[in-house]
Amino acid sequence: MQDALFYTFAFLTLMFGFLVIANPFSRNPVTSAMFLVLTIISLAGLFVLLHAFFLAAVQVLVYAGAVMVLFLFVIMLLDLKAEERRKIKTLGVVGGLISTGAILAIFLSSLLKAPLGATQSPVVEGGTVALAKLLFTQYLLPFEIVSLLLLVAIVGVVLLSKKDLK
Amino acid sequence: MIQAIIDWFGSPVGLSVLFSAVKILGVFSVLMFIVAYSVWVERKVSAAIQDRCGPNRVGIFGLLQPAADAIKSFLKEDFTPAHVRKTYYWLAPAIVMIPSLLTVAIIPFGSLIGNEKMIIADLNVGVLYTFGIVSLGVYGIVLAGYAARSKYPFIGGIRSSAQLISYEIAMGMSVIPLFLIAGGLDVQQLSAGWQSLLAGTSGLNLNRLVTWQAGNGWLICYAPISFVIFLAAMFAETNRMPFDMPECEQELAGGYNVEYSSMKFALFFMGEYASMTAAAALMTTLFLGGWSLPVAGLNQPATTIWIGLIHIGIFLAKVCFILFMVIWVRWMWPRFRYDQLMDLGWRRFIPLALANIVITAVVLWAKS
């Protein structure tokens, strides 16, 4: 049952992910965005299978519910008709293939090094309480530094949206 | 073959599947009943407020009006305008309905009947799940606006996405003080009935919140600012007056649903009332003590079937009260202007909600 669900969600994630970037039926940016939402929701399904309920809920809440709505908002406000008709450039395809290949190489090399097989699966503490304890004790400094990054982004947005700086 | 199926339903897995199916069916039918009759109540209340009669032709007091409306929407021509984007045009009404149906899955609508918890899915991430699902509700409206490929529905969809994003933040923050207050619940000190209700729960579980309220009084008394913010955000999230920007009839000729007719239009309508009901149920659980009532020993998990049924009745009564209030407000209050709405969300409610969290935390810290 668990395996069947894993393969279903994994397949859905990959399929929707593929449809985001290379949809044979439509080159509409809104369709791509909607497939990205579906990818995120299938990813949340994979998190649930890992017993990481908190991450699954936050994944849907933050990415599918907030970030993607803003994406959609921006896509709809811009006129992207030209985007639909645009030809695919050779340089872009080659660059994309090279970078994907590099990432794939890193994944494969670490996969080959990893001792796979019938080992004891680690106990996953995915509940909110366990996660909160780790975030506020062991990983407090990285957590705070990440929030600083968000602050930088906010200041950047304010700077960019002001037309003339005084 | 038949014997095997009966045996399977007798096994623990089969029993839990059976009970879950019964609960899902029950919750769904009650939800749909409330949706149908809140439309009737809406029309009656508006009629009373505006000194009219309201629906009174079908059945006594027009009580069969929802059935007549349903037949009408099914029999009307399902017209698809030529200029719409077909896929999204068909998908949008369905997407509007789904989130509200998913939200009610984690609401504890009663205590116990026998050994069965009266909740479809007892999740430990409870309230986070709700906000995750509620945040998906915007897609139906946005896509309906996009699918129409005409100006007014599009403006309705864009307004809606901005509005929902803004008020979700305030709504999420307004709930944090509740969990700060009720988080210190010590299950070990409670009676056996509570312990069986709360077995295996932690953190953000909604039943724990109800338990705390049954023991200490409703959270509306402890966190009134949270209640006000949540209430306003609820009106905004369900697109109800005074925040029904996406559909405002005068400016947008109806907004995102202009191009829709017959059953697809009715689905938008049902979606609005279903999300209202889901939000009212959530509010009952968070602020009004859920299924508990501080009289006649109804503050304990049920030991008999009758008390279990009374708990469900109490829960439904509270939900209906909130729905009535929401309907009443619609006919008493003029609509906000769009810039006022965004201003209220970002410059008033979000700072207020943040201050509320800090003050609650400081007070709790000072007390401990």
Side-chain angles (χ1 to χ4, degrees), chain A residues 83-158:
Chain A
E83 198 67 23
E84 289 184 40
R85 274 183 264 110
R86 202 184 60 175
K87 291 275 189 310
I88 297 172
K89 286 184 187 125
T90 338
L91 190 70
V93 172
V94 171
L97 280 180
I98 289 172
S99 44
T100 331
I103 293 171
L104 204 67
I106 295 172
F107 278 161
L108 278 180
S109 67
S110 58
L111 252 183
L112 287 175
K113 270 185 215 154
L116 293 178
T119 48
Q120 190 80 36
S121 62
V123 182
V124 182
E125 281 289 346
T128 13
V129 179
L131 193 73
K133 272 197 181 125
L134 280 178
L135 269 186
F136 284 101
T137 54
Q138 200 177 338
Y139 299 107
L140 184 61
L141 190 65
F143 183 62
E144 294 300 328
I145 290 173
V146 168
S147 62
L148 205 68
L149 198 68
L150 283 177
L151 186 69
V152 171
I154 294 171
V155 172
V157 167
V158 172

Side-chain angles (χ1 to χ4, degrees), chain B residues 305-356:
Chain B
I305 287 179
W306 291 114
I307 296 186
L309 289 176
I310 290 172
H311 278 153
I312 295 177
I314 293 170
F315 181 79
L316 285 177
K318 287 178 182 174
V319 169
C320 290
F321 172 75
I322 294 178
L323 282 177
F324 181 74
M325 186 198 68
V326 171
I327 287 170
W328 195 349
V329 165
R330 176 171 176 184
W331 302 100
M332 285 287 163
W333 216 314
R335 180 180 294 134
F336 278 80
R337 226 170 46 220
Y338 189 64
D339 60 316
Q340 291 173 330
L341 170 105
M342 295 310 266
D343 189 64
L344 189 69
W346 285 100
R347 307 234 314 258
R348 305 278 195 287
F349 280 158
I350 292 178
L352 188 66
L354 277 172
N356 191 24

Side-chain angles (χ1 to χ4, degrees), chain B residues 96-116:
Chain B
V96 165
M97 271 306 278
I98 294 169
S100 35
L101 295 183
L102 288 176
T103 317
V104 289
I106 60 139
I107 305 284
F109 54 88
S111 54
L112 295 161
I113 288 186
N115 275 327
E116 198 58 32

Side-chain angles (χ1 to χ4, degrees), chain B residues 33-311:
Chain B
F33 180 83
I34 292 179
V35 167
Y37 275 90
S38 52
V39 178
W40 177 80
V41 172
E42 173 107 60
R43 294 174 67 174
K44 274 290 184 193
V45 168
S46 70
I49 288 171
Q50 298 172 343
D51 205 11
R52 296 182 281 115
C53 287
N56 62 354
R57 297 288 141 175
V58 202
I60 317 158
F61 304 121
L63 269 174
L64 291 175
Q65 189 67 39
D69 284 345
I71 294 170
K72 184 186 77 178
S73 5
F74 270 115
L75 294 184
K76 265 187 165 177
E77 186 194 355
D78 189 11
F79 182 73
T80 309
H83 55 80
V84 299
R85 294 180 169 88
K86 289 268 165 27
T87 323
Y88 291 129
Y89 183 80
W90 279 81
L91 272 178
I95 298 178
V96 165
M97 271 306 278
I98 294 169
S100 35
L101 295 183
L102 288 176
T103 317
V104 289
I106 60 139
I107 305 284
F109 54 88
S111 54
L112 295 161
I113 288 186
N115 275 327
E116 198 58 32
K117 288 183 197 176
M118 287 298 107
I119 178 170
I120 293 172
D122 200 12
L123 294 184
N124 277 339
V125 287
V127 81
L128 274 177
Y129 165 91
T130 324
F131 286 121
I133 298 295
V134 166
S135 67
L136 296 180
V138 64
Y139 285 113
I141 294 174
V142 170
L143 287 181
Y146 180 69
R149 227 193 273 212
S150 56
K151 292 283 182 306
Y152 285 146
F154 187 70
I155 298 174
I158 289 288
R159 278 184 174 188
S160 157
S161 60
Q163 172 182 339
L164 265 69
I165 281 273
S166 319
Y167 278 84
E168 249 161 44
I169 300 171
M171 197 181 203
M173 284 197 209
S174 74
V175 173
I176 294 173
L178 304 185
F179 288 93
L180 285 178
I181 295 169
L185 182 73
D186 191 3
V187 182
Q188 302 300 323
Q189 290 182 352
L190 297 166
S191 66
W194 285 116
Q195 296 214 3
S196 70
L197 188 71
L198 295 179
T201 64
S202 73
L204 302 174
N205 186 286
L206 287 177
N207 247 331
R208 288 173 82 97
L209 216 57
V210 175
T211 310
W212 192 89
Q213 292 183 71
N216 300 283
W218 296 355
L219 276 166
I220 182 176
C221 315
Y222 292 88
I225 300 174
S226 287
F227 179 77
V228 171
I229 297 172
F230 190 91
L231 185 71
M234 184 188 104
F235 277 98
E237 289 286 308
T238 53
N239 289 324
R240 289 292 296 192
M241 201 75 112
F243 301 110
D244 62 341
M245 286 305 137
E247 44 187 300
C248 52
E249 288 89 348
Q250 293 89 334
E251 304 162 43
L252 298 181
Y256 61 91
N257 53 24
V258 171
E259 309 285 349
Y260 284 87
S261 59
S262 90
M263 202 54 213
K264 291 207 197 73
F265 177 78
L267 265 177
F268 280 116
F269 226 76
M270 283 163 69
E272 182 184 327
Y273 283 89
S275 62
M276 250 167 75
T277 316
L282 188 62
M283 195 171 199
T284 307
T285 314
L286 290 177
F287 292 97
L288 302 179
W291 44 261
S292 69
L293 199 68
V295 287
L298 287 170
N299 262 350
Q300 296 293 323
T303 42
T304 62
I305 287 179
W306 291 114
I307 296 186
L309 289 176
I310 290 172
H311 278 153

Side-chain angles (χ1 to χ4, degrees), chain A residues 6-152:
Chain A
F6 169 76
Y7 285 116
T8 316
F9 278 119
F11 173 74
L12 285 177
T13 311
L14 289 177
M15 188 182 75
F16 290 142
F18 181 77
L19 286 173
V20 174
I21 49 169
N23 191 337
F25 305 108
S26 121
R27 300 208 2 101
N28 185 343
V30 172
T31 311
S32 290
M34 288 317 291
F35 274 118
L36 191 52
V37 173
L38 288 177
T39 314
I40 289 164
I41 292 174
S42 336
L43 258 183
L46 286 175
F47 279 130
V48 169
L49 287 177
L50 287 172
H51 290 269
F53 299 113
F54 178 77
L55 274 183
V58 167
Q59 175 92 2
V60 173
L61 179 61
V62 174
Y63 287 101
V67 174
M68 285 315 295
V69 175
L70 287 180
F71 271 36
L72 215 59
F73 191 79
V74 173
I75 291 173
M76 284 182 174
L77 282 181
L78 300 172
D79 185 27
L80 292 176
K81 291 243 169 57
E83 198 67 23
E84 289 184 40
R85 274 183 264 110
R86 202 184 60 175
K87 291 275 189 310
I88 297 172
K89 286 184 187 125
T90 338
L91 190 70
V93 172
V94 171
L97 280 180
I98 289 172
S99 44
T100 331
I103 293 171
L104 204 67
I106 295 172
F107 278 161
L108 278 180
S109 67
S110 58
L111 252 183
L112 287 175
K113 270 185 215 154
L116 293 178
T119 48
Q120 190 80 36
S121 62
V123 182
V124 182
E125 281 289 346
T128 13
V129 179
L131 193 73
K133 272 197 181 125
L134 280 178
L135 269 186
F136 284 101
T137 54
Q138 200 177 338
Y139 299 107
L140 184 61
L141 190 65
F143 183 62
E144 294 300 328
I145 290 173
V146 168
S147 62
L148 205 68
L149 198 68
L150 283 177
L151 186 69
V152 171

